[in-house]
Amino acid sequence: MNILTCEGVRKVYGSGNNQVTALDGINLTVNKGEFVAIIGASGSGKSTLLHILGSVDRPTSGTVTIDGTDLSKLNPTQAAIFRRRKVGLVYQFYNLIPTLTVQKNILMPLTLDKKKPNKEYFEKVVRSLGISDKLEALPSQLSGGQQQRVAIARSLIYRPALLLADEPTGNLDQKNSKEIIDMLKLSNRNLDQTILLITHDEKVALEAERIITIEDGHIISDEWRR
Ligand SMILES: Nc1ncnc2c1ncn2[C@@H]1O[C@H](COP(=O)(O)OP(=O)(O)OP(=O)(O)O)[C@@H](O)[C@H]1O
Ligand SMILES: [Mg+2]
């Protein structure tokens, strides 16, 4: 069953002489439960695509359907709610709220919906990400890699059907990176979650079952590894 479809997605930034075509006709279908890596050179359009899939940004043209919902039909408020409940998003630059503790950052998606966390799941997530002892700290008191793990915890707290992660291991060493990928794989399997992750790290990409390569806003290769 498919969870994500992109048809003819184009994204043009700016106007006149300053126009940049970040995405130039992306067609893509992802089925439920897939673990997909997206690779490509800096500036090729990876983050732009992820933001459009996460309904943070809108395409200039083309359509994106996620779990049966046409994202273009959502107004900004509906898009925010959809994203929070259905899609976990790990931003390349984390986007943590600086004035809130780690715990409050992680629980934010639930707090916004006035929902109580499942204590057991919360503890499991923070433990497996190695941030249990940082819950009362502010983001500014954490290393880059720790902030990245907080962002991952926040993206998982709603147990989203679709997880979109932009370089989730970009600030981690090999050992931590491997642990995070193993954890995401487990989450992918246990929650029947679909994961799309952007990476520059070949080792990380090789952990995925499908590797999509983007160049200049086009998909130039889409490869199944088994
Ligand atoms: N808000 C914006 N306004 C104008 N141009 C933008 C904007 N965001 C991205 N771009 C341009 O769109 C293109 C794609 O950018 P994008 O951030 O998607 O690349 P990326 O593949 O994620 O790169 P990286 O690996 O460095 O993160 C680049 O040429 C970039 O300069
Ligand atoms: Mg990027």
Side-chain angles (χ1 to χ4, degrees), residues 149-192:
R149 282 175 273 159
V150 174
I152 294 172
R154 180 181 57 185
S155 76
L156 289 173
I157 202 69
Y158 231 113
R159 304 186 203 214
L162 178 64
L163 181 70
L164 304 171
D166 201 345
E167 298 272 4
T169 60
N171 256 310
L172 303 177
D173 53 55
Q174 285 296 338
K175 180 175 165 287
N176 276 297
S177 170
K178 174 88 173 73
E179 278 174 19
I180 298 291
I181 296 302
D182 286 346
M183 187 226 173
L184 291 180
K185 276 185 149 177
L186 213 65
S187 181
N188 163 251
R189 227 170 300 139
N190 291 346
L191 301 180
D192 195 23

Side-chain angles (χ1 to χ4, degrees), residues 191-203:
L191 301 180
D192 195 23
Q193 199 167 46
T194 308
I195 301 186
L196 269 76
L197 69 82
I198 292 173
T199 183
H200 273 114
D201 184 340
E202 193 182 336
K203 277 212 178 86

Side-chain angles (χ1 to χ4, degrees), residues 11-28:
K11 179 70 183 182
V12 181
Y13 287 112
S15 58
N17 286 338
N18 295 321
Q19 264 192 9
V20 176
T21 303
L23 296 175
D24 198 7
I26 298 283
N27 298 305
L28 175 64

Side-chain angles (χ1 to χ4, degrees), residues 30-43:
V30 176
N31 285 323
K32 267 205 173 104
E34 285 183 20
F35 190 120
V36 186
I38 299 175
I39 60 174
S42 178

Side-chain angles (χ1 to χ4, degrees), residues 64-78:
V64 179
T65 309
I66 291 186
D67 218 5
T69 301
D70 177 349
L71 298 187
S72 69
K73 299 272 184 333
L74 304 178
N75 67 33
T77 311
Q78 291 169 326

Side-chain angles (χ1 to χ4, degrees), residues 73-190:
K73 299 272 184 333
L74 304 178
N75 67 33
T77 311
Q78 291 169 326
I81 292 172
F82 182 82
R83 177 165 67 244
R84 188 156 81 225
R85 295 182 185 163
K86 286 261 169 160
V87 185
L89 223 145
V90 183
Y91 293 89
Q92 190 166 9
F93 305 107
Y94 324 135
N95 280 6
L96 299 174
I97 301 174
T99 51
L100 295 183
T101 62
V102 163
Q103 173 152 344
K104 288 194 168 143
N105 265 285
I106 296 171
L107 296 178
M108 185 45 84
L110 294 172
T111 310
L112 287 168
D113 276 343
K114 299 189 173 57
K115 283 198 178 156
K116 286 235 152 53
N118 175 314
K119 200 160 172 273
E120 221 171 285
Y121 181 66
F122 172 79
E123 278 168 6
K124 197 170 132 199
V125 167
V126 296
R127 204 177 332 112
S128 55
L129 286 164
I131 47 176
S132 307
D133 57 340
K134 298 289 179 193
L135 296 178
E136 294 309 317
L138 292 171
S140 60
Q141 297 167 321
L142 304 182
S143 73
Q146 288 164 341
Q147 290 181 48
Q148 189 148 45
R149 282 175 273 159
V150 174
I152 294 172
R154 180 181 57 185
S155 76
L156 289 173
I157 202 69
Y158 231 113
R159 304 186 203 214
L162 178 64
L163 181 70
L164 304 171
D166 201 345
E167 298 272 4
T169 60
N171 256 310
L172 303 177
D173 53 55
Q174 285 296 338
K175 180 175 165 287
N176 276 297
S177 170
K178 174 88 173 73
E179 278 174 19
I180 298 291
I181 296 302
D182 286 346
M183 187 226 173
L184 291 180
K185 276 185 149 177
L186 213 65
S187 181
N188 163 251
R189 227 170 300 139
N190 291 346

